[in-house]
Amino acid sequence: MRVLKFGGTSVANAENISKVLNILEKESNKHTIAVVVSALGGTTDMLIETGTLATNRDEKYLNVYKQIVDRHNDAVEELIKGKAKEAVLKRINVKLEELKQILQGLYLINEFSNKTIDKILSFGELLSSYIISEAIQQTLKRSSLKDSRELIITDSTFTNAVVNTKETSNNISSFFKKNKDKIVVLPGFVSRNKDGETTTLGRGGSDYTAALIASATKATVLEIWTDVSGMYTANPKLVKQAFPIKEISYKEAMELSHFGAKVLYPPTVQPALQKNIPIHIKNTFAPNEEGTLITKKNTDKKEPVKGISHIENIALLTLEGNGMIGVPGFSKRLFSTLSRGNINVVLITQASSEHSICVGVYSTDSKKAKEIVDEEFIYEISKKKIKPLLVENNLAIVAVVGDNMKNHQGISGRMFRALGNNNVNVRAIAQGASERNISAVISHKDIKKALTALHNRFFEKQVKTLNLFIVGVGNVGGILLNQIKKQQDYLNENLLLNVKVVGISNSKKMIFNEEGIGLDCWKEQLRKGKKQSHKSFFETIKELNLSNSIFIDVTANKEVAKTYKDYLKESISVIACNKIACSSKYSDYRELKDLSRKYNASFLFETNVGAGLPVINTLNNLINSGDRITSIQAVLSGSLNFIFNNFDDNSSFHDIVKQAQEEGYTEPDPRIDLSGVDVARKILILAREAGYKLDLKDIKNQSFLPKESLEANTVDDFYKTLKAQASHFSELYKSAQKNDCQLKYVAEFNNGKASVGLKEIDKEHPFYNLKGKDNIVLFFTERYTEQPLIIKGAGAGAEVTASGLFGDIITLGRN
Ligand code: ADP
Ligand code: ASP
Ligand code: MG
């Protein structure tokens, strides 16, 4: 004989039940089968809801009741044809009327006991099994219906009854010995106590009903038909990359289901295991897919981890106090108290100091646990030997499971590294004595991140996903998006990096897409986006809580720079093109560096100096390897270089500056470049990165601008002064010409002191031949004493700046 169980979704409506009938038709050709069914999907929840509403004297209970009536009537209307229909409709409506009477009773007496809950819940399975049995009768003859309550006998723990296995097994085997029908349909979940009162086997209990029948009849197989194609490596609703496990041992399946893999109700495994009956999990909606086979076999020796599961809504209870040390019996008293209160302990850890015991329970039990435990230890608490029970809510458990974990080293290392790298804080840890599972208690909000990170670590090619949030998608930002689009496939293949742009914003609008924004049409999407604000951009990123989130600032905005702190504190890395943060007050710069370290989030800003040139990276490498910077000489302004390289006798200084602005070499306000402030900020950042505590005011700035230009209030006025003061600028040129020199705007740092200013550079100097918008940096260090380490190349322009940002992104990805 075979036992087939169909879950709620599989029998949710007439359409799905037809699929079930097809499966039964095939299987009953060859075998005798027992068919265990759940209530029509969602009915059990609706029954609880209507019962609760009625108890609370809320008339809405009638609406929910009506929905229950309708869905059962609809199913009959569609499934049952001909004369039989009338009779079936009549019978289900008699049952539904009986339900209504009980609900009315609840409305009056205002009390919803567990006993009544079971009475009400049983309607779900009793109705579904009757309807399905009638539907089978129409097409496949020789079928019958048997009420499981006549077979499965339990104690009186209503809503979660304990089965008397001996009596139950006898009842089942003698019934099936006499049975002549090819198909017997039975309601899952329902049972009765020795007084004949209806009990139930706990939520999800239909699986268990089927296992009891399989075990008592020594069935050849127990098939659990559900809405997914087997037991997956992780809950497929949360982890998209999860896949069905082909074969798994009873113990592994038990462990995964105990830790939340809802596809199998935990008590189901034991009866099958005892009789060595294989359990096959199959998909009603894709019956040809292989599914998962659960047997005694300890499979795949190479892959130590079989699956990852999780339980939501966990509370951690901590009992602690010095009075516990060396005094036996505290754990015993704690556990007996919880057991007396019918509180299920999901996880246990104990500090080796014996100073505290920590257990995980379902959140729904935490209030009661606190009351009864504090009551139990009232004396010790009053004497301050222990503290009142500490309860932490909003937690969850993630568990990594596999029979072969015990034969492999380093699994827990990998597990906790994956969690740590994704900033998932672990509150407690437990490892089963069999080493078949390692579980961690984490915050509820981190579930998805933790599962994805663990799944990625144990089951996927080690592709790391970087989730980018880019603010400022003008010139440089736009080009960065283009570069990313072009390079995505290459990075995936060669560096195992999946670079995904999840959020972008300009000064007006912002958009987000967790799956990754389409980089072909981001401009249109952004136009239709939500109104932007720095706060809501940050809040959304925080809310998404994705692993490897990176905030990228491609603005020159002071307000954006102020938000870096918030990101780092959430362990979100920051990449800044914006120089403001690193060149503002030293204490602000220091704070960001410290936060970066404290929250394990990177803070990179290579493009602050020399656009895409590896200036800061090189400097960091020198320092980290133990070198010390003695002097820096540099030409760091792409725009000033462009201006002085093009300015000569035949051109006007005003026109050259205008051209530099139009070609995008200057800051939006050219005064920031021409006044030397931009260069001063850059040398300041280099000095700070070299380990010196400097502020902008410490940098000597000898301006080459005439007084009028320095005093101009607007950009327009500034341009006017450049025209009016043309002779001042041509004098500068002529003097350099006379001395056989070139004009360069130079930044210098020597033993703690920095300055910027225009200089006449002679032919011998490495700066003399600097072309176009190139930058050059000379580092003199304790190791590079005579000849400096030189970095030279284009130091401005949107393409190179974007590629510098891209470089920072990749550096982060490879960390
Ligand atoms: P049924 O009504 O058929 O008994 P359940 O809802 O009880 O179905 O169980 C199936 C559901 O279990 C799936 O839809 C899925 O959301 C959930 N689930 C959780 N963890 C797993 C897992 N590891 N593998 C498969 N399904 C899982
Ligand atoms: N109908 C019950 C529930 O929803 C039992 C089951 O479906 O297994 O929990
Ligand atoms: Mg189920």
Side-chain angles (χ1 to χ4, degrees):
M1 194 178 93
R2 298 179 151 221
V3 180
L4 279 67
K5 178 258 169 176
F6 291 90
T9 325
S10 303
V11 298
N13 49 40
E15 190 188 337
N16 296 1
I17 295 174
S18 308
K19 296 196 165 71
V20 171
L21 295 181
N22 287 337
I23 294 166
L24 293 179
E25 187 169 359
K26 274 195 203 127
E27 293 224 16
S28 63
N29 276 338
K30 294 179 248 154
H31 316 276
T32 302
I33 53 182
V35 179
V36 176
V37 295
S38 286
L40 308 193
T43 303
T44 312
D45 289 334
M46 289 163 92
L47 287 164
I48 293 181
E49 193 187 352
T50 180
T52 312
L53 288 167
T55 313
N56 296 337
R57 299 247 161 92
D58 185 335
E59 299 283 343
K60 282 203 236 46
Y61 87 89
L62 285 169
N63 302 345
V64 182
Y65 169 74
K66 172 91 181 5
Q67 287 169 32
I68 297 173
V69 171
D70 289 349
R71 63 186 308 196
H72 287 89
N73 276 279
D74 289 350
V76 175
E77 286 288 351
E78 283 185 51
L79 285 168
I80 313 292
K81 309 273 173 301
K83 270 192 267 154
K85 185 185 283 189
E86 275 310 299
V88 177
L89 280 175
K90 193 160 164 215
R91 194 152 153 209
I92 65 159
N93 284 303
V94 168
K95 278 235 78 62
L96 286 162
E97 194 52 39
E98 198 188 311
L99 169 65
K100 192 174 180 184
Q101 307 272 323
I102 303 176
L103 291 170
Q104 278 165 351
L106 284 178
Y107 189 86
L108 295 175
I109 60 167
N110 208 323
E111 193 193 310
F112 201 15
S113 68
N114 282 350
K115 185 164 154 180
T116 320
I117 291 182
D118 276 356
K119 181 88 196 126
I120 286 190
L121 292 193
S122 70
F123 279 86
E125 266 72 6
L126 294 175
L127 283 164
S128 70
S129 58
Y130 171 62
I131 296 170
I132 291 163
S133 146
E134 288 298 323
I136 295 173
Q137 200 60 270
Q138 298 229 308
T139 48
L140 317 166
K141 302 295 171 202
R142 287 185 57 202
S143 72
S144 59
L145 173 69
K146 177 71 183 170
D147 186 341
S148 314
R149 292 179 299 179
E150 292 164 20
L151 306 176
I152 299 176
I153 311 301
T154 67
D155 69 359
S156 295
T157 319
F158 294 100
T159 73
N160 214 343
V162 179
V163 173
N164 177 333
T165 38
K166 194 143 177 257
E167 204 180 336
T168 299
S169 177
N170 289 340
N171 289 346
I172 296 172
S173 65
S174 57
F175 169 76
F176 278 98
K177 265 188 199 127
K178 282 188 230 126
N179 169 56
K180 299 266 178 319
D181 292 316
K182 199 87 182 142
I183 304 177
V184 181
V185 181
L186 304 102
F189 183 51
V190 295
S191 44
R192 73 165 193 224
N193 64 12
K194 65 178 181 351
D195 302 323
E197 292 164 322
T198 298
T199 54
T200 64
L201 303 177
R203 294 302 306 269
S206 298
D207 297 345
Y208 187 33
T209 307
L212 292 168
I213 295 171
S215 160
T217 58
K218 301 198 181 62
T220 47
V221 63
L222 164 59
E223 294 182 352
I224 304 281
W225 290 82
T226 182
D227 61 349
V228 287
S229 296
M231 193 167 227
Y232 279 60
T233 44
N235 186 342
K237 302 251 159 80
L238 289 178
V239 180
K240 272 201 213 75
Q241 287 78 6
F243 52 86
I245 306 166
K246 283 201 172 71
E247 286 186 69
I248 185 168
S249 74
Y250 289 120
K251 296 212 166 126
E252 288 170 324
M254 202 147 36
E255 210 73 47
L256 281 173
S257 73
H258 175 72
F259 281 102
K262 182 180 168 231
V263 67
L264 197 65
Y265 183 49
T268 311
V269 182
Q270 194 61 31
L273 181 153
Q274 269 167 2
K275 300 280 170 66
N276 200 7
I277 299 166
I279 305 175
H280 199 172
I281 302 182
K282 297 273 291 173
N283 188 347
T284 306
F285 307 97
N288 295 328
E289 289 192 5
E290 217 171 318
T292 298
L293 191 62
I294 308 173
T295 60
K296 210 164 60 179
K297 220 164 68 189
N298 175 348
T299 51
D300 210 340
K301 295 262 190 295
K302 281 200 302 290
E303 293 303 327
V305 174
K306 262 309 172 44
I308 299 158
S309 54
H310 76 284
I311 315 180
E312 300 186 4
N313 302 320
I314 289 290
L316 211 52
L317 312 178
T318 308
L319 189 68
E320 67 177 328
N322 293 330
M324 284 165 64
I325 302 171
V327 183
F330 274 94
S331 322
K332 184 165 167 243
R333 275 171 69 197
L334 174 67
F335 289 114
S336 349
T337 308
L338 293 173
S339 156
R340 250 184 288 121
N342 253 330
I343 292 171
N344 191 1
V345 172
V346 191
L347 169 141
I348 309 171
T349 63
Q350 175 164 17
S352 56
S353 69
E354 293 185 52
H355 168 257
S356 72
I357 313 169
C358 187
V359 300
V361 301
Y362 293 107
S363 301
T364 40
D365 290 333
S366 66
K367 197 160 159 249
K368 183 168 177 201
K370 165 97 180 135
E371 279 163 23
I372 58 177
V373 173
D374 282 352
E375 176 68 33
E376 167 70 26
F377 292 100
I378 193 159
Y379 174 76
E380 288 83 353
I381 294 172
S382 73
K383 293 278 172 230
K384 302 223 164 19
K385 287 184 176 206
I386 62 171
K387 295 183 189 155
L389 188 73
L390 181 74
V391 180
E392 284 169 85
N393 275 301
N394 293 324
L395 299 172
I397 296 176
V398 285
V400 165
V401 171
D403 278 340
N404 294 315
M405 285 183 0
K406 60 176 174 297
N407 303 323
H408 284 73
Q409 268 100 42
I411 305 282
S412 58
R414 274 153 72 187
M415 173 174 179
F416 292 108
R417 216 169 308 125
L419 293 174
N421 287 345
N422 286 283
N423 296 298
V424 175
N425 189 22
V426 174
R427 274 292 296 112
I429 299 171
Q431 175 163 25
S434 61
E435 287 188 53
R436 192 172 286 114
N437 100 63
I438 308 170
S439 23
V441 178
I442 61 168
S443 171
H444 189 271
K445 71 172 182 4
D446 288 334
I447 292 176
K448 193 165 172 201
K449 189 158 79 170
L451 289 176
T452 315
L454 291 174
H455 197 272
N456 181 283
R457 185 67 194 82
F458 289 109
F459 295 106
E460 294 162 36
K461 204 165 99 182
Q462 290 304 294
V463 174
K464 181 168 172 185
T465 297
L466 303 179
N467 294 296
L468 310 186
F469 299 88
I470 306 177
V471 28
V473 282
N475 194 9
V476 175
I479 290 175
L480 174 63
L481 288 174
N482 263 339
Q483 291 181 352
I484 292 173
K485 187 178 92 183
K486 277 206 205 114
Q487 213 51 14
Q488 267 167 336
D489 290 344
Y490 176 90
L491 292 176
N492 217 308
E493 205 139 287
N494 294 283
L495 298 188
L496 297 177
L497 281 180
N498 172 22
V499 180
K500 202 159 75 176
V501 180
V502 180
I504 52 182
S505 99
N506 56 23
S507 56
K508 296 188 190 75
K509 295 283 172 76
M510 58 182 196
I511 48 170
F512 294 91
N513 183 348
E514 212 180 315
E515 306 302 321
I517 292 167
L519 296 183
D520 288 323
C521 50
W522 62 270
K523 279 190 184 146
E524 278 158 64
Q525 295 179 52
L526 187 59
R527 220 172 293 128
K528 294 186 218 134
K530 276 197 298 199
K531 193 168 166 308
Q532 185 272 1
S533 82
H534 302 320
K535 187 158 185 286
S536 58
F537 198 72
F538 166 70
E539 290 296 338
T540 312
I541 300 173
K542 188 172 143 192
E543 193 76 9
L544 282 169
N545 196 16
L546 301 175
S547 54
N548 303 316
S549 291
I550 307 173
F551 173 71
I552 304 173
D553 176 9
V554 202
T555 70
N557 185 312
K558 208 158 65 188
E559 297 308 313
V560 179
K562 280 189 196 153
T563 64
Y564 297 176
K565 275 193 261 188
D566 302 332
Y567 287 98
L568 293 172
K569 282 182 192 162
E570 291 299 326
S571 299
I572 296 166
S573 296
V574 174
I575 294 178
C577 187
N578 186 347
K579 282 189 265 304
I580 295 177
C582 287
S583 57
S584 62
K585 276 204 316 250
Y586 181 82
S587 53
D588 292 345
Y589 160 85
R590 190 68 256 159
E591 186 187 8
L592 291 173
K593 298 287 263 187
D594 292 344
L595 288 174
S596 154
R597 201 169 315 141
K598 178 166 173 199
Y599 291 94
N600 188 23
S602 300
F603 175 39
L604 301 181
F605 39 87
E606 180 61 81
T607 50
N608 278 194
V609 181
L613 294 178
V615 180
I616 295 180
N617 201 7
T618 307
L619 173 56
N620 291 155
N621 286 341
L622 291 173
I623 304 283
N624 290 340
S625 64
D627 205 351
R628 200 180 70 83
I629 308 292
T630 49
S631 162
I632 303 170
Q633 292 177 22
V635 175
L636 292 173
S637 170
S639 52
L640 287 175
N641 233 12
F642 175 88
I643 291 165
F644 287 109
N645 282 340
N646 288 290
F647 176 50
D648 56 22
D649 280 352
N650 305 321
S651 54
S652 108
F653 193 73
H654 167 275
D655 293 353
I656 302 275
V657 174
K658 198 103 235 173
Q659 188 190 348
Q661 183 177 14
E662 276 158 14
E663 295 192 14
Y665 299 143
T666 67
E667 295 282 318
D669 180 346
R671 288 175 297 177
I672 297 187
D673 296 283
L674 276 88
S675 65
V677 168
D678 188 58
V679 176
R681 283 177 178 166
K682 289 174 180 166
I683 193 74
L684 175 68
I685 294 170
L686 292 184
R688 284 175 173 178
E689 287 291 294
Y692 293 87
K693 194 172 160 186
L694 243 64
D695 263 307
L696 203 57
K697 64 174 172 14
D698 303 325
I699 293 170
K700 218 161 102 200
N701 182 348
Q702 301 135 321
S703 182
F704 66 89
L705 290 174
K707 196 161 150 276
E708 291 80 352
S709 305
L710 283 171
E711 285 169 357
N713 282 328
T714 65
V715 175
D716 275 353
D717 285 352
F718 177 70
Y719 271 113
K720 279 186 199 136
T721 68
L722 296 188
K723 228 177 209 157
Q725 299 291 322
S727 62
H728 168 85
F729 297 107
S730 58
E731 277 311 314
L732 292 174
Y733 176 77
K734 277 187 202 139
S735 156
Q737 190 77 340
K738 197 176 82 213
N739 298 331
D740 222 0
C741 286
Q742 290 268 1
L743 285 173
K744 301 286 168 203
Y745 199 85
V746 175
E748 281 179 303
F749 172 78
N750 289 306
N751 286 321
K753 295 217 164 18
S755 65
V756 295
L758 192 66
K759 292 220 159 139
E760 293 185 357
I761 301 290
D762 66 43
K763 277 207 169 91
E764 305 306 314
H765 199 281
F767 292 174
Y768 186 87
N769 285 319
L770 210 58
K771 295 274 167 354
K773 54 188 188 299
D774 281 3
N775 278 197
I776 185 166
V777 183
L778 316 183
F779 285 122
F780 291 90
T781 75
E782 281 177 357
R783 290 178 193 153
Y784 292 88
T785 42
E786 261 131 61
Q787 288 303 319
L789 189 157
I790 303 181
I791 298 160
K792 180 178 165 187
E799 275 290 341
V800 289
T801 309
S803 81
L805 287 167
F806 207 167
D808 275 350
I809 296 171
I810 292 166
T811 304
L812 250 172
R814 304 191 80 180
N815 267 347

